[in-house]
Amino acid sequence: MRAWLEKAGFDPRFTSLVLALALIWVALALATDGIFLTPRNLYNLSIQTCVTALMACGMVYLIVARQIDLSVGSQMAFTGMVIAWVQVEGLGAETPFAWIASIGAGLVAGMLLGAFQGWWTAYRGLPAFVVTLAGYLMFRGAAFLVADGQTLAPLSTTFQRIGGGVHGSIGPQWSWLLGLLACAWVISQAVYARRSRRRYNAAMAPMWAEVVKTLVTCAALLGFVAVVCAYPDPGVDEGVAATGKGIGVPVLILIAVAAVLTIVSQRTRFGRHVFAYGGNPEAAFLSGLPTKRVVLTLFMLMGALAAIAAVITTSRLNSGTHSIGQMAELYVIAATVIGGASFAGGVGTIPGAIVGALLIQSLDNGMVLMDVSSAKRQIFIGLILIGAVWMDNVYTRRMTR
Amino acid sequence: MTALVEVRGLSKHFGGLMAVDRVHCTLHAGEVVGLLGHNGAGKSTLIKVLSGVYPADEGEILVRGEQKTFESPSEAREAGIETIHQTLALAENLDAPSNLFLGRELLTPWRTLDTDRMEHEALQVISRLNPNFRDMKKPVRDMSGGQRQTVAIARALYFNAKILIMDEPCAALGPAEVRMVQETIRRLKAEGIGIFLISHDMGDVFEACDRVTVMKNGAVVDTVRVADVTQDDVLAMIILGEKSKARGTQMNTDEHR
Ligand SMILES: Nc1ncnc2c1ncn2[C@@H]1O[C@H](COP(=O)(O)OP(=O)(O)OP(=O)(O)O)[C@@H](O)[C@H]1O
Ligand SMILES: [Mg+2]
């Protein structure tokens, strides 16, 4: 089965992950009498997944490069407080463009936190585990200090839309347009790749497999658009016929970030260097790669992504509190590992991490619908994590034998 | 004629251990110099200093008469020094083309990786060394020891080095591949490239090298011309660490080329 998948150009790991997700969805749909699969719940699920998935995109890079960041939750809290502070205390929430300035400040703050951790790790040679454990404590403390433990609210009304709540989506027309554009892009990429490979007479996966892969991807994209458009927008004013909500803003952000980071990881020098470093740090150094700079950049990227996650979270809460992002690091790392990244380094994909995040969030969401207590949910998700890593071990052992 | 590479009084220590101890040696264009010595003699450390991996503690390196200090492996590469390290320095999770172009990737006009062209180029240079090598998409992890070594050698050859350092390049190669490497060495020599060759195989050394520099415990025992000595003489130098009593070694071969 595995050999057959590989021959057809399917990544066996990713394929089994998607199949696992499909199984879980069917199970949850049955267990909740179909509530899980209602447009309303799937829209919420898509929004809930974004925060974890965004940070998982950065965590993949770090884990691929044999690093880890335990402080992402605390980074969210600190950058979230910075954002809220700029809006509420600094510029005034309804000052024009204050929300943009606050996002800029949050991103800079996140990158500075990342630079701090990256510097200690890359240039001073401390283990990332220790540095980011320290960051976990320090940044949480710093988040408290920003407003002396106060909650900062309310935030700009424009800013609130970023969280995907009221007016936080782009409506059916734009959603369909975007969905179709995405499909066109997927198809053109597949065609372009084949043409380029033919030019050099390189080996190619069979045509039918490529077609299946492209069709499944497009079907998933359009299916998603159809679902979120089927969810009537509850925020629309009384009296007007309700239209569908369409794709939520957080999802758009996630798609943009994931697309950019996927291209960076597969098509750029930097991405290649990250994977080379993760595969063999010594070889990367001997090949003249700027290994320290690569690691530093990765931590800064992680900080920026934590800041974006904080933008979405504070926007949804319409306030800045220092307690956001608790346990986020664990969910993010779990999502990344479930998505196929390996702590041995050099292995991991962004789509995998996003599906991993979706898988965890689906379980969480579904169990809430089933009235499972939060204590039991934690136990269950912990077990899923162990199961995923165990499967990863079995998989790698089989690969190297 | 100024030497391609001249090493003067080079030292490198790890804590209290003198891994390289005031080493002198030279390499001329179109010449192959063998670096010999027992395990732990300091050969790899010496060439790592030459290729910018370690900074020297003492002494200097001259490339074409010009003094150089390499801060990083990429600076040594820029000076035209390519190195095949004993450990091969391959990223196991990447395929052969990715490794071959690691740090020097070919880019499309949009500054993205030109993977297909890299694969094509890699196939050209690798199949010259080993015509049976076809599967370019396989990660290096899944290759045989000899195939990996072929990738490492191809990487050093592709970029038109002026100075080539080979740290036991044939250790894992089959007889046919060793022949190819020997032939490649001869071809490069004819093109005026200077080669430092580290090997424990006396036969290979005597076939490929013009001179050999023998090291023991970090220091140079002597440098002799291969034509002036027998394999037994050199073996004795490696084991006993004494200058050869054979004729012709009294004159300093470094000065008389
Ligand atoms: N990174 C290092 N740190 C500490 N000591 C080292 C390091 N690298 C090498 N050494 C020591 O330096 C000495 C020389 O090692 P080197 O690798 O240069 O030997 P070599 O001549 O290449 O041996 P071989 O034939 O086994 O490859 C050895 O005693 C080794 O233990
Ligand atoms: Mg050695």
Short mmCIF file of all heavy atoms in Angstrom, two decimals, chain A residues 284-347:
data_model
loop_
_atom_site.label_atom_id
_atom_site.label_comp_id
_atom_site.label_asym_id
_atom_site.label_seq_id
_atom_site.Cartn_x
_atom_site.Cartn_y
_atom_site.Cartn_z
N ALA A 284 25.57 21.20 6.93
CA ALA A 284 25.13 22.54 6.53
C ALA A 284 26.25 23.55 6.77
O ALA A 284 26.53 24.40 5.93
CB ALA A 284 23.88 22.93 7.34
N PHE A 285 26.91 23.41 7.91
CA PHE A 285 28.01 24.33 8.20
C PHE A 285 29.17 24.13 7.24
O PHE A 285 29.71 25.08 6.68
CB PHE A 285 28.48 24.14 9.65
CG PHE A 285 29.67 24.96 10.00
CD1 PHE A 285 29.56 26.33 10.10
CD2 PHE A 285 30.91 24.37 10.18
CE1 PHE A 285 30.67 27.11 10.40
CE2 PHE A 285 32.02 25.13 10.48
CZ PHE A 285 31.90 26.51 10.59
N LEU A 286 29.53 22.85 7.00
CA LEU A 286 30.65 22.58 6.10
C LEU A 286 30.34 23.03 4.68
O LEU A 286 31.26 23.33 3.91
CB LEU A 286 30.98 21.09 6.10
CG LEU A 286 31.57 20.55 7.40
CD1 LEU A 286 31.77 19.05 7.31
CD2 LEU A 286 32.88 21.23 7.74
N SER A 287 29.07 23.08 4.32
CA SER A 287 28.70 23.53 2.98
C SER A 287 28.64 25.06 2.90
O SER A 287 28.19 25.60 1.90
CB SER A 287 27.35 22.96 2.58
OG SER A 287 27.37 21.57 2.70
N GLY A 288 29.02 25.72 3.97
CA GLY A 288 29.10 27.17 3.94
C GLY A 288 27.77 27.87 4.14
O GLY A 288 27.64 29.04 3.81
N LEU A 289 26.77 27.17 4.69
CA LEU A 289 25.50 27.84 4.94
C LEU A 289 25.62 28.74 6.17
O LEU A 289 26.33 28.41 7.11
CB LEU A 289 24.38 26.82 5.17
CG LEU A 289 24.16 25.78 4.09
CD1 LEU A 289 22.90 24.99 4.40
CD2 LEU A 289 24.07 26.43 2.73
N PRO A 290 24.90 29.87 6.15
CA PRO A 290 24.91 30.75 7.33
C PRO A 290 24.01 30.19 8.41
O PRO A 290 22.94 30.72 8.69
CB PRO A 290 24.38 32.07 6.76
CG PRO A 290 23.50 31.67 5.64
CD PRO A 290 24.05 30.39 5.07
N THR A 291 24.44 29.11 9.05
CA THR A 291 23.55 28.34 9.91
C THR A 291 23.01 29.17 11.08
O THR A 291 21.85 29.02 11.44
CB THR A 291 24.28 27.11 10.46
OG1 THR A 291 25.51 27.54 11.02
CG2 THR A 291 24.58 26.12 9.36
N LYS A 292 23.85 30.02 11.66
CA LYS A 292 23.37 30.78 12.81
C LYS A 292 22.28 31.74 12.40
O LYS A 292 21.27 31.90 13.09
CB LYS A 292 24.53 31.56 13.43
CG LYS A 292 25.52 30.63 14.09
CD LYS A 292 26.67 31.38 14.68
CE LYS A 292 27.61 30.38 15.34
NZ LYS A 292 28.89 30.98 15.68
N ARG A 293 22.49 32.37 11.25
CA ARG A 293 21.49 33.33 10.79
C ARG A 293 20.17 32.61 10.48
O ARG A 293 19.09 33.14 10.75
CB ARG A 293 22.00 34.07 9.56
CG ARG A 293 21.47 35.48 9.49
CD ARG A 293 22.15 36.28 8.42
NE ARG A 293 21.98 35.69 7.12
CZ ARG A 293 22.92 35.70 6.17
NH1 ARG A 293 24.08 36.25 6.40
NH2 ARG A 293 22.69 35.15 5.01
N VAL A 294 20.27 31.43 9.94
CA VAL A 294 19.05 30.67 9.63
C VAL A 294 18.25 30.42 10.91
O VAL A 294 17.05 30.68 10.98
CB VAL A 294 19.40 29.34 8.94
CG1 VAL A 294 18.19 28.42 8.88
CG2 VAL A 294 19.93 29.59 7.54
N VAL A 295 18.94 29.96 11.96
CA VAL A 295 18.23 29.66 13.21
C VAL A 295 17.64 30.93 13.81
O VAL A 295 16.48 30.95 14.25
CB VAL A 295 19.19 28.96 14.20
CG1 VAL A 295 18.54 28.82 15.56
CG2 VAL A 295 19.59 27.59 13.67
N LEU A 296 18.41 32.01 13.80
CA LEU A 296 17.90 33.27 14.34
C LEU A 296 16.64 33.70 13.59
O LEU A 296 15.62 34.07 14.19
CB LEU A 296 18.98 34.36 14.21
CG LEU A 296 18.56 35.75 14.67
CD1 LEU A 296 18.44 35.81 16.18
CD2 LEU A 296 19.54 36.81 14.19
N THR A 297 16.69 33.61 12.27
CA THR A 297 15.53 34.02 11.46
C THR A 297 14.30 33.18 11.80
O THR A 297 13.19 33.70 11.85
CB THR A 297 15.86 33.86 9.96
OG1 THR A 297 17.14 34.45 9.72
CG2 THR A 297 14.84 34.54 9.10
N LEU A 298 14.52 31.88 12.02
CA LEU A 298 13.39 31.01 12.33
C LEU A 298 12.69 31.44 13.61
O LEU A 298 11.46 31.45 13.69
CB LEU A 298 13.85 29.56 12.45
CG LEU A 298 14.29 28.91 11.16
CD1 LEU A 298 14.69 27.47 11.41
CD2 LEU A 298 13.18 28.97 10.14
N PHE A 299 13.47 31.77 14.62
CA PHE A 299 12.83 32.20 15.87
C PHE A 299 12.09 33.52 15.67
O PHE A 299 11.02 33.75 16.26
CB PHE A 299 13.88 32.33 16.98
CG PHE A 299 14.16 31.03 17.66
CD1 PHE A 299 15.28 30.29 17.34
CD2 PHE A 299 13.29 30.53 18.62
CE1 PHE A 299 15.53 29.07 17.95
CE2 PHE A 299 13.53 29.33 19.24
CZ PHE A 299 14.66 28.59 18.90
N MET A 300 12.64 34.42 14.84
CA MET A 300 11.95 35.68 14.60
C MET A 300 10.65 35.44 13.83
O MET A 300 9.63 36.07 14.10
CB MET A 300 12.87 36.63 13.83
CG MET A 300 14.04 37.09 14.69
SD MET A 300 15.18 38.14 13.80
CE MET A 300 14.19 39.59 13.54
N LEU A 301 10.69 34.52 12.89
CA LEU A 301 9.47 34.17 12.16
C LEU A 301 8.41 33.64 13.12
O LEU A 301 7.24 34.01 13.04
CB LEU A 301 9.80 33.11 11.10
CG LEU A 301 8.62 32.50 10.38
CD1 LEU A 301 8.01 33.51 9.43
CD2 LEU A 301 9.02 31.25 9.62
N MET A 302 8.86 32.79 14.03
CA MET A 302 7.92 32.23 15.01
C MET A 302 7.29 33.35 15.83
O MET A 302 6.08 33.35 16.09
CB MET A 302 8.67 31.24 15.92
CG MET A 302 7.81 30.44 16.87
SD MET A 302 6.76 29.26 16.01
CE MET A 302 5.15 29.90 16.40
N GLY A 303 8.10 34.33 16.24
CA GLY A 303 7.58 35.46 17.00
C GLY A 303 6.54 36.24 16.22
O GLY A 303 5.49 36.62 16.75
N ALA A 304 6.82 36.45 14.94
CA ALA A 304 5.87 37.20 14.11
C ALA A 304 4.55 36.43 14.00
O ALA A 304 3.47 37.03 14.07
CB ALA A 304 6.47 37.44 12.73
N LEU A 305 4.64 35.11 13.84
CA LEU A 305 3.41 34.32 13.72
C LEU A 305 2.63 34.31 15.03
O LEU A 305 1.40 34.36 15.03
CB LEU A 305 3.75 32.89 13.30
CG LEU A 305 4.25 32.77 11.86
CD1 LEU A 305 4.77 31.37 11.59
CD2 LEU A 305 3.15 33.12 10.88
N ALA A 306 3.35 34.28 16.16
CA ALA A 306 2.67 34.36 17.45
C ALA A 306 1.94 35.70 17.55
O ALA A 306 0.82 35.77 18.09
CB ALA A 306 3.67 34.20 18.60
N ALA A 307 2.54 36.76 17.01
CA ALA A 307 1.89 38.07 17.04
C ALA A 307 0.63 38.06 16.19
O ALA A 307 -0.40 38.62 16.58
CB ALA A 307 2.87 39.14 16.55
N ILE A 308 0.68 37.41 15.03
CA ILE A 308 -0.53 37.34 14.20
C ILE A 308 -1.62 36.55 14.92
O ILE A 308 -2.80 36.92 14.90
CB ILE A 308 -0.20 36.69 12.83
CG1 ILE A 308 0.82 37.55 12.08
CG2 ILE A 308 -1.46 36.54 12.00
CD1 ILE A 308 1.27 36.96 10.76
N ALA A 309 -1.20 35.46 15.57
CA ALA A 309 -2.17 34.68 16.35
C ALA A 309 -2.77 35.56 17.44
O ALA A 309 -3.97 35.47 17.74
CB ALA A 309 -1.50 33.45 16.96
N ALA A 310 -1.95 36.43 18.03
CA ALA A 310 -2.44 37.32 19.07
C ALA A 310 -3.42 38.35 18.50
O ALA A 310 -4.40 38.71 19.15
CB ALA A 310 -1.26 38.03 19.75
N VAL A 311 -3.17 38.81 17.28
CA VAL A 311 -4.09 39.74 16.63
C VAL A 311 -5.48 39.10 16.56
O VAL A 311 -6.49 39.69 16.95
CB VAL A 311 -3.60 40.11 15.22
CG1 VAL A 311 -4.70 40.80 14.43
CG2 VAL A 311 -2.37 40.99 15.29
N ILE A 312 -5.52 37.86 16.07
CA ILE A 312 -6.80 37.18 15.91
C ILE A 312 -7.48 36.98 17.26
O ILE A 312 -8.67 37.24 17.43
CB ILE A 312 -6.60 35.84 15.18
CG1 ILE A 312 -6.13 36.12 13.75
CG2 ILE A 312 -7.87 35.02 15.18
CD1 ILE A 312 -5.72 34.90 12.98
N THR A 313 -6.69 36.53 18.25
CA THR A 313 -7.29 36.23 19.55
C THR A 313 -7.80 37.50 20.25
O THR A 313 -8.93 37.52 20.75
CB THR A 313 -6.26 35.52 20.45
OG1 THR A 313 -5.74 34.41 19.73
CG2 THR A 313 -6.90 35.04 21.73
N THR A 314 -6.99 38.55 20.28
CA THR A 314 -7.46 39.77 20.95
C THR A 314 -8.66 40.34 20.21
O THR A 314 -9.58 40.88 20.82
CB THR A 314 -6.35 40.85 21.01
OG1 THR A 314 -5.77 40.98 19.73
CG2 THR A 314 -5.30 40.52 22.02
N SER A 315 -8.65 40.21 18.90
CA SER A 315 -9.77 40.72 18.13
C SER A 315 -11.05 39.97 18.47
O SER A 315 -12.11 40.57 18.63
CB SER A 315 -9.44 40.59 16.64
OG SER A 315 -10.61 40.63 15.88
N ARG A 316 -10.95 38.65 18.61
CA ARG A 316 -12.14 37.88 18.96
C ARG A 316 -12.64 38.23 20.35
O ARG A 316 -13.84 38.29 20.59
CB ARG A 316 -11.83 36.38 18.92
CG ARG A 316 -11.81 35.81 17.51
CD ARG A 316 -11.42 34.36 17.53
NE ARG A 316 -12.47 33.50 18.05
CZ ARG A 316 -12.30 32.23 18.31
NH1 ARG A 316 -11.12 31.67 18.12
NH2 ARG A 316 -13.29 31.50 18.77
N LEU A 317 -11.71 38.46 21.27
CA LEU A 317 -12.10 38.79 22.64
C LEU A 317 -12.50 40.25 22.77
O LEU A 317 -13.10 40.65 23.76
CB LEU A 317 -10.94 38.50 23.60
CG LEU A 317 -10.49 37.05 23.73
CD1 LEU A 317 -9.24 36.96 24.57
CD2 LEU A 317 -11.61 36.23 24.35
N ASN A 318 -12.11 41.05 21.79
CA ASN A 318 -12.30 42.49 21.86
C ASN A 318 -11.64 43.07 23.11
O ASN A 318 -12.15 44.01 23.72
CB ASN A 318 -13.79 42.85 21.81
CG ASN A 318 -13.98 44.35 21.67
OD1 ASN A 318 -13.07 45.05 21.23
ND2 ASN A 318 -15.15 44.85 22.06
N SER A 319 -10.53 42.50 23.50
CA SER A 319 -9.81 43.03 24.65
C SER A 319 -8.42 42.40 24.70
O SER A 319 -8.17 41.36 24.08
CB SER A 319 -10.55 42.70 25.95
OG SER A 319 -10.52 41.32 26.15
N GLY A 320 -7.52 43.05 25.40
CA GLY A 320 -6.20 42.47 25.63
C GLY A 320 -6.11 41.97 27.05
O GLY A 320 -6.28 42.74 28.00
N THR A 321 -5.88 40.67 27.23
CA THR A 321 -5.65 40.15 28.59
C THR A 321 -4.35 39.37 28.59
O THR A 321 -3.98 38.76 27.58
CB THR A 321 -6.77 39.21 29.05
OG1 THR A 321 -6.99 38.25 28.02
CG2 THR A 321 -8.04 39.95 29.35
N HIS A 322 -3.71 39.36 29.74
CA HIS A 322 -2.40 38.70 29.79
C HIS A 322 -2.51 37.20 29.93
O HIS A 322 -1.51 36.51 30.00
CB HIS A 322 -1.58 39.28 30.95
CG HIS A 322 -2.22 39.04 32.28
ND1 HIS A 322 -2.02 37.91 33.01
CD2 HIS A 322 -3.09 39.80 33.00
CE1 HIS A 322 -2.73 37.96 34.11
NE2 HIS A 322 -3.39 39.10 34.13
N SER A 323 -3.72 36.70 29.95
CA SER A 323 -3.86 35.25 30.16
C SER A 323 -4.13 34.49 28.87
O SER A 323 -4.32 33.27 28.91
CB SER A 323 -5.00 34.99 31.15
OG SER A 323 -6.20 35.51 30.62
N ILE A 324 -4.13 35.15 27.71
CA ILE A 324 -4.40 34.40 26.48
C ILE A 324 -3.22 33.49 26.14
O ILE A 324 -2.10 33.68 26.60
CB ILE A 324 -4.68 35.33 25.27
CG1 ILE A 324 -3.46 36.18 24.95
CG2 ILE A 324 -5.92 36.16 25.49
CD1 ILE A 324 -3.55 36.86 23.59
N GLY A 325 -3.51 32.51 25.33
CA GLY A 325 -2.44 31.64 24.82
C GLY A 325 -1.95 30.61 25.81
O GLY A 325 -0.92 29.97 25.58
N GLN A 326 -2.68 30.41 26.93
CA GLN A 326 -2.22 29.39 27.86
C GLN A 326 -2.37 28.01 27.22
O GLN A 326 -3.41 27.72 26.64
CB GLN A 326 -3.00 29.47 29.16
CG GLN A 326 -2.28 30.36 30.15
CD GLN A 326 -3.16 30.81 31.29
OE1 GLN A 326 -4.31 30.46 31.36
NE2 GLN A 326 -2.58 31.59 32.18
N MET A 327 -1.35 27.24 27.33
CA MET A 327 -1.29 25.90 26.74
C MET A 327 -1.25 25.91 25.21
O MET A 327 -1.27 24.85 24.59
CB MET A 327 -2.47 25.02 27.20
CG MET A 327 -2.49 24.84 28.69
SD MET A 327 -2.80 23.15 29.15
CE MET A 327 -4.36 22.84 28.37
N ALA A 328 -1.17 27.08 24.63
CA ALA A 328 -1.11 27.13 23.16
C ALA A 328 0.11 26.39 22.66
O ALA A 328 0.04 25.66 21.66
CB ALA A 328 -1.08 28.57 22.69
N GLU A 329 1.24 26.54 23.36
CA GLU A 329 2.47 25.89 22.89
C GLU A 329 2.28 24.39 22.76
O GLU A 329 2.78 23.76 21.83
CB GLU A 329 3.67 26.22 23.81
CG GLU A 329 3.49 25.96 25.30
CD GLU A 329 2.66 27.03 25.99
OE1 GLU A 329 2.75 28.19 25.57
OE2 GLU A 329 1.93 26.71 26.93
N LEU A 330 1.51 23.82 23.71
CA LEU A 330 1.35 22.37 23.67
C LEU A 330 0.49 21.95 22.49
O LEU A 330 0.79 20.98 21.81
CB LEU A 330 0.77 21.89 25.00
CG LEU A 330 1.62 22.34 26.20
CD1 LEU A 330 1.04 21.83 27.49
CD2 LEU A 330 3.05 21.88 26.03
N TYR A 331 -0.59 22.69 22.26
CA TYR A 331 -1.44 22.36 21.12
C TYR A 331 -0.68 22.54 19.81
O TYR A 331 -0.81 21.75 18.89
CB TYR A 331 -2.69 23.25 21.14
CG TYR A 331 -3.80 22.69 22.00
CD1 TYR A 331 -3.57 22.42 23.34
CD2 TYR A 331 -5.05 22.42 21.48
CE1 TYR A 331 -4.57 21.89 24.14
CE2 TYR A 331 -6.06 21.89 22.26
CZ TYR A 331 -5.81 21.63 23.59
OH TYR A 331 -6.80 21.09 24.37
N VAL A 332 0.13 23.61 19.76
CA VAL A 332 0.87 23.89 18.52
C VAL A 332 1.90 22.80 18.25
O VAL A 332 2.01 22.28 17.14
CB VAL A 332 1.56 25.27 18.62
CG1 VAL A 332 2.55 25.46 17.49
CG2 VAL A 332 0.53 26.38 18.60
N ILE A 333 2.63 22.43 19.28
CA ILE A 333 3.65 21.39 19.09
C ILE A 333 2.97 20.06 18.75
O ILE A 333 3.40 19.33 17.85
CB ILE A 333 4.54 21.26 20.34
CG1 ILE A 333 5.37 22.54 20.51
CG2 ILE A 333 5.46 20.05 20.24
CD1 ILE A 333 6.07 22.66 21.84
N ALA A 334 1.86 19.80 19.44
CA ALA A 334 1.13 18.56 19.15
C ALA A 334 0.66 18.55 17.70
O ALA A 334 0.82 17.54 16.99
CB ALA A 334 -0.06 18.42 20.10
N ALA A 335 0.11 19.67 17.24
CA ALA A 335 -0.38 19.73 15.86
C ALA A 335 0.77 19.48 14.88
O ALA A 335 0.62 18.74 13.90
CB ALA A 335 -1.00 21.10 15.60
N THR A 336 1.91 20.09 15.16
CA THR A 336 3.05 19.95 14.27
C THR A 336 3.52 18.50 14.20
O THR A 336 3.82 17.98 13.12
CB THR A 336 4.20 20.84 14.78
OG1 THR A 336 3.68 22.13 15.06
CG2 THR A 336 5.29 20.95 13.75
N VAL A 337 3.58 17.88 15.35
CA VAL A 337 4.07 16.50 15.39
C VAL A 337 3.06 15.55 14.75
O VAL A 337 3.42 14.67 13.97
CB VAL A 337 4.38 16.10 16.85
CG1 VAL A 337 4.68 14.62 16.94
CG2 VAL A 337 5.55 16.90 17.36
N ILE A 338 1.78 15.77 15.04
CA ILE A 338 0.75 14.95 14.40
C ILE A 338 0.82 15.14 12.89
O ILE A 338 0.63 14.21 12.11
CB ILE A 338 -0.64 15.31 14.95
CG1 ILE A 338 -0.77 14.82 16.39
CG2 ILE A 338 -1.75 14.72 14.08
CD1 ILE A 338 -2.03 15.25 17.08
N GLY A 339 1.18 16.35 12.47
CA GLY A 339 1.30 16.65 11.05
C GLY A 339 2.53 16.06 10.39
O GLY A 339 2.81 16.35 9.23
N GLY A 340 3.33 15.30 11.14
CA GLY A 340 4.42 14.57 10.52
C GLY A 340 5.80 15.15 10.73
O GLY A 340 6.78 14.60 10.22
N ALA A 341 5.93 16.25 11.46
CA ALA A 341 7.27 16.76 11.73
C ALA A 341 7.95 15.85 12.74
O ALA A 341 7.29 15.29 13.61
CB ALA A 341 7.21 18.18 12.28
N SER A 342 9.27 15.69 12.58
CA SER A 342 9.97 14.78 13.47
C SER A 342 11.04 15.52 14.25
O SER A 342 11.77 16.34 13.71
CB SER A 342 10.62 13.67 12.64
OG SER A 342 11.74 13.17 13.30
N PHE A 343 11.12 15.20 15.55
CA PHE A 343 12.12 15.87 16.39
C PHE A 343 13.54 15.49 15.99
O PHE A 343 14.49 16.12 16.40
CB PHE A 343 11.89 15.55 17.86
CG PHE A 343 10.74 16.33 18.44
CD1 PHE A 343 9.61 15.70 18.88
CD2 PHE A 343 10.80 17.72 18.51
CE1 PHE A 343 8.55 16.42 19.40
CE2 PHE A 343 9.75 18.44 19.03
CZ PHE A 343 8.61 17.79 19.47
N ALA A 344 13.68 14.44 15.20
CA ALA A 344 15.02 14.10 14.72
C ALA A 344 15.51 15.11 13.70
O ALA A 344 16.68 15.15 13.36
CB ALA A 344 15.00 12.70 14.10
N GLY A 345 14.63 15.95 13.22
CA GLY A 345 15.04 17.03 12.33
C GLY A 345 14.93 16.69 10.86
O GLY A 345 14.97 15.53 10.46
N GLY A 346 14.76 17.74 10.06
CA GLY A 346 14.79 17.56 8.62
C GLY A 346 13.50 17.09 7.98
O GLY A 346 13.44 16.96 6.77
N VAL A 347 12.48 16.83 8.78
CA VAL A 347 11.22 16.31 8.23
C VAL A 347 10.05 17.13 8.76
O VAL A 347 9.96 17.39 9.96
CB VAL A 347 11.00 14.84 8.63
CG1 VAL A 347 9.71 14.32 8.04
CG2 VAL A 347 12.18 13.99 8.20
#
